[in-house]
């Protein structure tokens, strides 16, 4: 389509309220929203020159059929509805494969209170969104998997108000991800939408963690971080109170609004998969106050080991897409999270790689409670326009949104910058920039990426990529026996890998549930299981191995998987079918994880 981005759509990071699910004055706008499809050439959203059309459906006018000669030819009031949160693809059969523009509209009543500010919080909207409240454009956002907030203060009035959101799910060459990816492009308001009211000066961001000095030792219970108060004068007081840990302190904001603190907890149990202890942490400043639930733990590398609270761990993991088991569609409710964590526990996993983009916040909240460690990733996937500064700005904004939302989750131990990017100087420079930003924002976590730039020389497998120098933990994806190599080569291959903790971040093969045959026959459960068995032989010979991540927990939809009967629009590499039934390979990994026969922490 050659759509150009408006300047506003390129606007990088904007206000993002942390801990929205723990705030006092939140009104859900989930439910039924009217919708109208803006089919190509998308003139309701874009003018002929590609600018955002503020005079189109955003006006939310109604045709007056009693007078003429001209009327606007759309009407939300009589239009059908979609459930929010929810992708449009699985709600309206005609929109199943629709990758275009759709407008949502919803009326809501409110009473603005003086001395407060109100934000519209959107958990995620895929891929670009443009938002008008009472006909005024309040914000634009690019990126399908991270939250954002639009300030509505001064735009709302007492009584009935309305919000119109144009969501554009077109793939963009210069998007993150770009146009090619192996998952389904679910469009729409895919996560919760709410109105959040806060005092004029309010806590918009905070970071409360176990102090992460190079000298951290088990027994050190110093907590540190910051509370950011937006709109506060320098010197504003902030209190951090964690009664159960017997930690309480006050600090004052600096010129940027940050109140940095450090406090010793008199009584602290560290968070770990065996004991996922969370503490109620109350933050207050002026009239603003919120209570989050936060766990405290230390994660670091030591040579080729990964240490959690000073103890070596092996990450028994699996990959997971944010697609709802059984019903399909984007995963975005408590039931989806409960079902997926049920599968993870059944597999005996202690870790999950949330692919290839940040998932619903329920997933990291549940991981905190259930004691499952998390790898969280931004969608720098395959071919990104690495040379373009404006694409870097988008990626950097997504990184910040991801870190900001989840930095208070003990479960998240790894920030992943990318998946399967080609070894080119511009790629490495781009990711080096992101790695530096991530470390600066959050020095308490480890940085990783999933690579696939390995090569074969004789019986050797070699991974040499300058990207590995930037990482704390190196991830590598390989599909021996499926996309290349012979399955049995895994028994004898000798790997030359960086001397860093190493995670086999993807491996596997497709199998259609219930399709049986000899191990030489593709898409059978037997062949998938056979490939897994040989992978386990190989894993035992990689000294740096600190984690294994089968690709993937569940079969998932992908528009590129079009072999009838075997695939039917699904990537069939799941250990489980898309409706949660186990294939033979599931039992292999379940047993290996239960008996700890794969990898050693030390
Ligand atoms: C990969 C990608 C993953 C794909 C998978 C596959 O290497 O990282 O997103 O879905 O291979 O099944 O081809």
């Amino acid at each position: 389509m050659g759509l150009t981005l408006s300047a506003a759509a390129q606007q990088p990071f904007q206000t993002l309220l942390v801990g929205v699910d723990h705030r006092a004055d939140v009104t859900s706008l989930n439910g039924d929203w009217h919708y109208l499809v803006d089919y190509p050439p998308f003139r309701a959203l874009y003018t002929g020159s590609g600018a955002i059309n503020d005079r189109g459906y955003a006006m939310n006018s109604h045709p007056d059929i009693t007078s003429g000669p001209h009327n606007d030819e759309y009407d939300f009031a009589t239009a059908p509805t979609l459930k929010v949160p929810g992708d449009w693809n699985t709600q309206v059969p005609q929109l199943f494969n629709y990758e275009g523009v759709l407008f949502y509209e919803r009326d809501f009543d409110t009473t603005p209170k003086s001395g407060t500010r109100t934000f519209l919080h959107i958990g995620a909207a895929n891929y670009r969104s443009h938002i008008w409240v009472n006909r005024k454009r309040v914000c634009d956002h690019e990126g399908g998997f991270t939250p954002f907030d639009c300030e509505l203060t001064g735009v709302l009035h007492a009584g009935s108000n309305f919000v119109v959101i144009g969501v554009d799910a077109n793939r963009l060459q210069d998007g993150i991800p770009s146009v090619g990816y192996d998952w389904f492009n679910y469009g729409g308001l895919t996560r919760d939408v709410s109105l959040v009211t806060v005092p004029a000066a309010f806590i918009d961001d905070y970071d409360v963690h176990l102090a992460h000095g190079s000298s951290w030792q088990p027994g050190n219970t110093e907590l540190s971080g910051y509370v950011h108060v937006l709109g506060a004068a320098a010197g504003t007081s902030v209190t951090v109170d964690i009664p159960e840990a017997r930690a309480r302190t006050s600090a004052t904001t600096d010129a940027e609004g940050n109140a940095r603190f450090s406090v010793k907890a008199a009584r602290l149990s560290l968070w770990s998969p065996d004991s996922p202890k969370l503490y109620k942490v109350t933050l207050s400043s002026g009239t603003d106050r919120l209570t989050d639930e936060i766990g405290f733990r230390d994660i670091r590398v030591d040579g080729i080991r990964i240490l959690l609270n000073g103890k070596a761990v092996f990450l028994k993991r699996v990959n997971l897409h944010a697609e709802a088991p059984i019903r399909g569609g984007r995963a975005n409710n408590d039931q989806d999270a409960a079902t997926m964590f049920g599968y993870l526990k059944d597999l005996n996993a202690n870790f999950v790689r949330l692919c290839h983009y940040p998932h619903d916040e329920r997933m990291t909240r549940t991981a905190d409670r259930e004691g499952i460690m998390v790898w969280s990733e931004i969608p720098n996937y395959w071919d990104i326009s690495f040379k373009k500064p404006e694409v870097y700005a988008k990626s950097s904004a997504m990184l910040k949104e991801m870190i900001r939302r989840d930095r208070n989750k003990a479960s998240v131990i790894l920030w992943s910058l990318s998946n399967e990017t080609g070894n080119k100087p511009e790629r490495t420079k781009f990711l080096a920039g992101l790695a530096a930003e991530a470390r600066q924002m959050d020095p308490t976590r480890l940085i990783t990426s999933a690579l696939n730039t390995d090569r074969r020389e004789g019986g050797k497998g070699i991974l040499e990529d300058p990207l590995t120098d930037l990482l704390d933990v190196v991830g590598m994806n390989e599909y021996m026996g499926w996309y290349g190599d012979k399955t049995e080569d895994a028994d004898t291959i000798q790997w030359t890998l960086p001397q860093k903790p190493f995670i086999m971040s993807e491996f596997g093969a497709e199998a259609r549930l219930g399709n049986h045959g000899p191990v030489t026959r593709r898409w059978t459960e037997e062949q998938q299981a056979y490939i897994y068995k040989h992978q386990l032989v190989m894993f035992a010979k990689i000294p740096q191995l600190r984690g294994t991540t089968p690709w993937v927990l569940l079969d998932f939809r992908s528009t590129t998987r079009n072999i009838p009967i075997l695939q039917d629009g699904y990537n069939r590499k799941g250990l489980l079918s898309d409706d949660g039934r186990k294939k033979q390979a599931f039992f292999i990994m379940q047993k290996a994880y239960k008996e700890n026969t794969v990898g050693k922490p030390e």
Side-chain angles (χ1 to χ4, degrees), residues 355-412:
C355 299
H356 283 296
Y357 38 77
H359 289 208
D360 192 286
E361 192 169 359
R362 287 175 177 84
M363 294 299 288
T364 46
R365 287 263 181 232
T366 311
D368 263 12
R369 285 194 303 270
E370 295 290 326
I372 299 273
M373 294 177 279
V374 172
W375 157 318
S376 183
E377 184 161 302
I378 46 173
N380 284 322
Y381 182 96
W382 292 353
D383 300 307
I384 299 291
S385 305
F386 288 119
K387 283 189 178 155
K388 299 193 176 169
E390 66 273 24
V391 176
Y392 182 86
K394 293 178 192 183
S395 197
S396 162
M398 281 179 207
L399 178 80
K400 288 175 186 147
E401 288 165 346
M402 171 176 78
I403 294 180
R404 190 160 155 136
R405 192 194 76 179
D406 278 350
R407 69 186 318 160
N408 291 296
K409 314 282 197 304
S411 56
V412 180

Side-chain angles (χ1 to χ4, degrees), residues 181-183 321 353 355-356 377 381-382 419-420 450 452 477-479 482-483 506 510 551-552 556 558 561 571-573:
Y181 45 88
D182 187 25
W183 66 82
H321 263 296
R353 175 178 176 217
C355 299
H356 283 296
E377 184 161 302
Y381 182 96
W382 292 353
N419 179 71
E420 298 190 348
N452 68 338
N477 303 345
E478 53 77 25
Y479 286 87
W482 185 257
Y483 287 133
E506 291 180 25
E510 295 209 11
W551 184 261
V552 53
F556 61 96
S558 171
R561 307 292 178 174
N571 181 317
R572 296 284 180 200
K573 295 191 188 73

Side-chain angles (χ1 to χ4, degrees), residues 314 316-317 344-350 536 548 586-600:
F314 184 81
K316 301 187 279 189
R317 322 168 356 133
L344 294 173
K345 292 271 167 172
D346 193 7
L347 185 66
N348 302 307
N350 63 9
L536 290 177
T548 47
F586 181 93
F587 298 103
I588 294 174
M589 291 313 296
Q590 185 189 44
K591 184 164 184 283
Y593 284 169
K594 176 151 201 259
E595 296 172 357
N596 294 314
T597 49
V598 52
K600 292 276 172 280

Side-chain angles (χ1 to χ4, degrees), residues 210-211 216-223 247 263-268 270:
L210 194 61
W216 186 87
Q217 293 288 331
N220 287 8
T221 60
E222 174 127 328
L223 307 178
V263 59
K264 201 162 165 56
R267 204 165 57 186
L268 195 71
L270 298 184

